[in-house]
Amino acid sequence: MAVRVRLLGTAAGGGIPQWNCACAGCARARGTSAARTQDCVAVSGDGRSWYLLNASPDLRAQLLAAPELAPGPGRRETPLCGVLLSTAELDHTLGLLTLREARELAVYGTAAVLDALAGPFPVRPMLDHYTAVSWHTVAPGTPVPLRGGLAATALPVGAKPPRYAPATGGDWVVAYRITDQRTGAALVYAPCLPAIDDAFLDAAAGAAYAILDGTFLHEDEMVRATGGGRTATAMGHLPITASLPRLAGLTGTTVLYTHLNNTNPVAAASGDGHLTAAGAEVATDGRLITL
């Protein structure tokens, strides 16, 4: 059984179009096929047990659009087993509240992320009043076994906490390498990636797909688009123009850029010439991948 990956959403926070934005990108996307929901991925090793990589605010619509995640045959039976969180950002955790009607749920995250969800953004105590949730602390570098023959290994990539959380140390941002323990087939998921070091390249080596942070195309993109704002890396996102050269050595790996901001020109199309020439692609909502 091949590993199946469904790209549920591919936009950065707010989606495309953003509800309160009339920029050129949002105006173009409004009411067209260029619209994108907020970043979220579903993965399964056996086609029966599915895990979410992050839980976006658009999760209900995303689950309804994915045939593999439909409930049944029992009235409250669902193939969704759990959620692996790469950050504690609202864009990656608000969807957990949508899952409050699940019969049971497993949620995985680093100690910093789970602590944030217990305090400043109290998702944990809230969900515990609605369903049976098991909370699992992820130790970076230690594989976590999942149903369907998969294993997930977290790799620390950033220390930027969400705005609502105190600025304390910890593994606030991780990437995940999802591996089929039977075949060795793997993918890497890193929707927030402030830099690429040798450790990250080692983790991505041999993966069939690397689904990576494509929030911005340029380092000064926000300045170009709005006349102000912070740089991409200051916001915790390595721009595509900087990450693409670093990924050139990943032979046999298809790079898919996701988590696209409304200012990013590549979000308007399913592909971009210089990305394709470099062996990279732009992710699209609903795409199904097999490993």
Short mmCIF file of all heavy atoms in Angstrom, two decimals, residues 110-137:
data_model
loop_
_atom_site.label_atom_id
_atom_site.label_comp_id
_atom_site.label_asym_id
_atom_site.label_seq_id
_atom_site.Cartn_x
_atom_site.Cartn_y
_atom_site.Cartn_z
N THR A 110 5.65 19.56 20.05
CA THR A 110 6.77 19.71 20.97
C THR A 110 6.27 20.21 22.32
O THR A 110 5.13 20.67 22.45
CB THR A 110 7.81 20.69 20.43
OG1 THR A 110 7.21 22.00 20.32
CG2 THR A 110 8.32 20.25 19.07
N ALA A 111 7.12 20.16 23.32
CA ALA A 111 6.74 20.62 24.66
C ALA A 111 6.32 22.08 24.63
O ALA A 111 5.33 22.46 25.27
CB ALA A 111 7.90 20.41 25.63
N ALA A 112 7.06 22.91 23.90
CA ALA A 112 6.71 24.33 23.83
C ALA A 112 5.34 24.54 23.22
O ALA A 112 4.53 25.34 23.71
CB ALA A 112 7.77 25.09 23.01
N VAL A 113 5.05 23.81 22.16
CA VAL A 113 3.75 23.95 21.48
C VAL A 113 2.61 23.48 22.37
O VAL A 113 1.60 24.16 22.53
CB VAL A 113 3.77 23.17 20.15
CG1 VAL A 113 2.36 23.05 19.56
CG2 VAL A 113 4.70 23.84 19.15
N LEU A 114 2.75 22.32 22.99
CA LEU A 114 1.68 21.80 23.84
C LEU A 114 1.49 22.66 25.08
O LEU A 114 0.35 22.83 25.55
CB LEU A 114 1.96 20.35 24.22
CG LEU A 114 1.97 19.34 23.06
CD1 LEU A 114 2.05 17.92 23.61
CD2 LEU A 114 0.75 19.49 22.16
N ASP A 115 2.56 23.22 25.61
CA ASP A 115 2.42 24.13 26.75
C ASP A 115 1.64 25.38 26.36
O ASP A 115 0.82 25.88 27.13
CB ASP A 115 3.80 24.53 27.28
CG ASP A 115 4.48 23.42 28.07
OD1 ASP A 115 3.79 22.43 28.39
OD2 ASP A 115 5.68 23.55 28.36
N ALA A 116 1.89 25.90 25.17
CA ALA A 116 1.15 27.08 24.71
C ALA A 116 -0.33 26.77 24.58
O ALA A 116 -1.19 27.62 24.87
CB ALA A 116 1.72 27.56 23.38
N LEU A 117 -0.65 25.56 24.16
CA LEU A 117 -2.05 25.18 23.98
C LEU A 117 -2.72 24.83 25.31
O LEU A 117 -3.93 24.61 25.35
CB LEU A 117 -2.16 23.99 23.02
CG LEU A 117 -1.63 24.24 21.61
CD1 LEU A 117 -1.91 23.03 20.73
CD2 LEU A 117 -2.23 25.49 21.00
N ALA A 118 -1.93 24.77 26.36
CA ALA A 118 -2.50 24.54 27.69
C ALA A 118 -2.73 25.84 28.44
O ALA A 118 -3.49 25.87 29.40
CB ALA A 118 -1.58 23.64 28.51
N GLY A 119 -2.06 26.91 28.00
CA GLY A 119 -2.12 28.15 28.75
C GLY A 119 -2.59 29.34 27.96
O GLY A 119 -3.78 29.64 27.91
N PRO A 120 -1.67 30.04 27.27
CA PRO A 120 -2.07 31.28 26.59
C PRO A 120 -3.22 31.09 25.60
O PRO A 120 -4.10 31.93 25.49
CB PRO A 120 -0.78 31.70 25.87
CG PRO A 120 0.32 31.08 26.66
CD PRO A 120 -0.23 29.78 27.15
N PHE A 121 -3.20 29.97 24.85
CA PHE A 121 -4.32 29.63 23.96
C PHE A 121 -4.84 28.28 24.44
O PHE A 121 -4.38 27.23 24.01
CB PHE A 121 -3.83 29.55 22.52
CG PHE A 121 -4.90 29.18 21.53
CD1 PHE A 121 -6.21 29.63 21.66
CD2 PHE A 121 -4.60 28.38 20.44
CE1 PHE A 121 -7.18 29.28 20.75
CE2 PHE A 121 -5.56 28.02 19.51
CZ PHE A 121 -6.85 28.48 19.67
N PRO A 122 -5.82 28.27 25.35
CA PRO A 122 -6.16 27.06 26.10
C PRO A 122 -6.99 26.03 25.33
O PRO A 122 -8.07 25.61 25.76
CB PRO A 122 -6.93 27.61 27.30
CG PRO A 122 -7.59 28.84 26.77
CD PRO A 122 -6.62 29.43 25.79
N VAL A 123 -6.47 25.60 24.20
CA VAL A 123 -7.16 24.58 23.41
C VAL A 123 -7.25 23.26 24.15
O VAL A 123 -8.28 22.56 24.09
CB VAL A 123 -6.45 24.38 22.05
CG1 VAL A 123 -7.00 23.17 21.32
CG2 VAL A 123 -6.59 25.62 21.19
N ARG A 124 -6.19 22.91 24.87
CA ARG A 124 -6.19 21.61 25.55
C ARG A 124 -7.31 21.48 26.56
O ARG A 124 -8.12 20.52 26.49
CB ARG A 124 -4.83 21.35 26.18
CG ARG A 124 -3.71 21.17 25.17
CD ARG A 124 -2.38 20.89 25.83
NE ARG A 124 -2.38 19.64 26.58
CZ ARG A 124 -1.30 19.11 27.14
NH1 ARG A 124 -0.13 19.74 27.04
NH2 ARG A 124 -1.36 17.98 27.80
N PRO A 125 -7.44 22.38 27.53
CA PRO A 125 -8.55 22.23 28.47
C PRO A 125 -9.91 22.36 27.82
O PRO A 125 -10.88 21.72 28.25
CB PRO A 125 -8.31 23.35 29.50
CG PRO A 125 -7.39 24.31 28.84
CD PRO A 125 -6.56 23.50 27.90
N MET A 126 -10.01 23.16 26.76
CA MET A 126 -11.30 23.27 26.08
C MET A 126 -11.69 21.96 25.41
O MET A 126 -12.81 21.47 25.57
CB MET A 126 -11.26 24.41 25.05
CG MET A 126 -11.30 25.79 25.66
SD MET A 126 -11.58 27.11 24.45
CE MET A 126 -10.00 27.15 23.62
N LEU A 127 -10.76 21.38 24.64
CA LEU A 127 -11.08 20.14 23.94
C LEU A 127 -11.35 18.99 24.89
O LEU A 127 -12.18 18.11 24.60
CB LEU A 127 -9.94 19.76 22.99
CG LEU A 127 -9.88 20.46 21.64
CD1 LEU A 127 -8.71 19.94 20.84
CD2 LEU A 127 -11.17 20.27 20.86
N ASP A 128 -10.66 18.99 26.02
CA ASP A 128 -10.84 17.90 26.98
C ASP A 128 -12.26 17.85 27.54
O ASP A 128 -12.67 16.83 28.09
CB ASP A 128 -9.83 18.04 28.11
CG ASP A 128 -8.42 17.67 27.68
OD1 ASP A 128 -8.28 16.96 26.66
OD2 ASP A 128 -7.46 18.09 28.35
N HIS A 129 -13.01 18.93 27.40
CA HIS A 129 -14.41 18.94 27.83
C HIS A 129 -15.34 18.36 26.77
O HIS A 129 -16.52 18.11 27.04
CB HIS A 129 -14.86 20.37 28.15
CG HIS A 129 -14.31 20.91 29.44
ND1 HIS A 129 -14.74 20.46 30.68
CD2 HIS A 129 -13.36 21.85 29.67
CE1 HIS A 129 -14.07 21.11 31.62
NE2 HIS A 129 -13.24 21.95 31.05
N TYR A 130 -14.82 18.15 25.55
CA TYR A 130 -15.68 17.72 24.44
C TYR A 130 -15.40 16.31 23.96
O TYR A 130 -16.31 15.61 23.52
CB TYR A 130 -15.52 18.69 23.26
CG TYR A 130 -16.15 20.03 23.48
CD1 TYR A 130 -15.45 21.06 24.11
CD2 TYR A 130 -17.45 20.29 23.08
CE1 TYR A 130 -16.02 22.30 24.32
CE2 TYR A 130 -18.04 21.52 23.29
CZ TYR A 130 -17.32 22.53 23.91
OH TYR A 130 -17.90 23.76 24.13
N THR A 131 -14.12 15.90 23.98
CA THR A 131 -13.79 14.59 23.43
C THR A 131 -12.58 14.02 24.15
O THR A 131 -11.93 14.71 24.96
CB THR A 131 -13.52 14.69 21.92
OG1 THR A 131 -13.35 13.38 21.38
CG2 THR A 131 -12.28 15.51 21.63
N ALA A 132 -12.27 12.78 23.85
CA ALA A 132 -11.12 12.12 24.47
C ALA A 132 -9.88 12.40 23.63
O ALA A 132 -9.69 11.83 22.56
CB ALA A 132 -11.37 10.62 24.57
N VAL A 133 -9.03 13.30 24.13
CA VAL A 133 -7.82 13.68 23.41
C VAL A 133 -6.60 13.14 24.15
O VAL A 133 -6.48 13.31 25.37
CB VAL A 133 -7.70 15.21 23.28
CG1 VAL A 133 -6.49 15.56 22.42
CG2 VAL A 133 -8.96 15.81 22.70
N SER A 134 -5.71 12.51 23.41
CA SER A 134 -4.43 12.11 23.99
C SER A 134 -3.38 13.06 23.42
O SER A 134 -3.26 13.23 22.21
CB SER A 134 -4.09 10.66 23.64
OG SER A 134 -4.12 10.43 22.25
N TRP A 135 -2.64 13.71 24.32
CA TRP A 135 -1.65 14.71 23.94
C TRP A 135 -0.26 14.09 24.04
O TRP A 135 0.12 13.59 25.10
CB TRP A 135 -1.76 15.93 24.85
CG TRP A 135 -3.13 16.57 24.82
CD1 TRP A 135 -4.17 16.30 25.65
CD2 TRP A 135 -3.58 17.55 23.90
NE1 TRP A 135 -5.25 17.07 25.31
CE2 TRP A 135 -4.93 17.85 24.24
CE3 TRP A 135 -2.99 18.24 22.83
CZ2 TRP A 135 -5.68 18.79 23.54
CZ3 TRP A 135 -3.75 19.17 22.13
CH2 TRP A 135 -5.06 19.44 22.49
N HIS A 136 0.49 14.11 22.96
CA HIS A 136 1.78 13.44 22.89
C HIS A 136 2.90 14.44 22.65
O HIS A 136 2.88 15.17 21.65
CB HIS A 136 1.79 12.40 21.76
CG HIS A 136 0.70 11.37 21.87
ND1 HIS A 136 0.88 10.20 22.56
CD2 HIS A 136 -0.57 11.35 21.40
CE1 HIS A 136 -0.23 9.48 22.49
NE2 HIS A 136 -1.13 10.16 21.80
N THR A 137 3.85 14.48 23.56
CA THR A 137 4.99 15.38 23.40
C THR A 137 6.00 14.76 22.44
O THR A 137 6.44 13.63 22.63
CB THR A 137 5.67 15.65 24.75
OG1 THR A 137 4.72 16.23 25.65
CG2 THR A 137 6.85 16.59 24.58
#
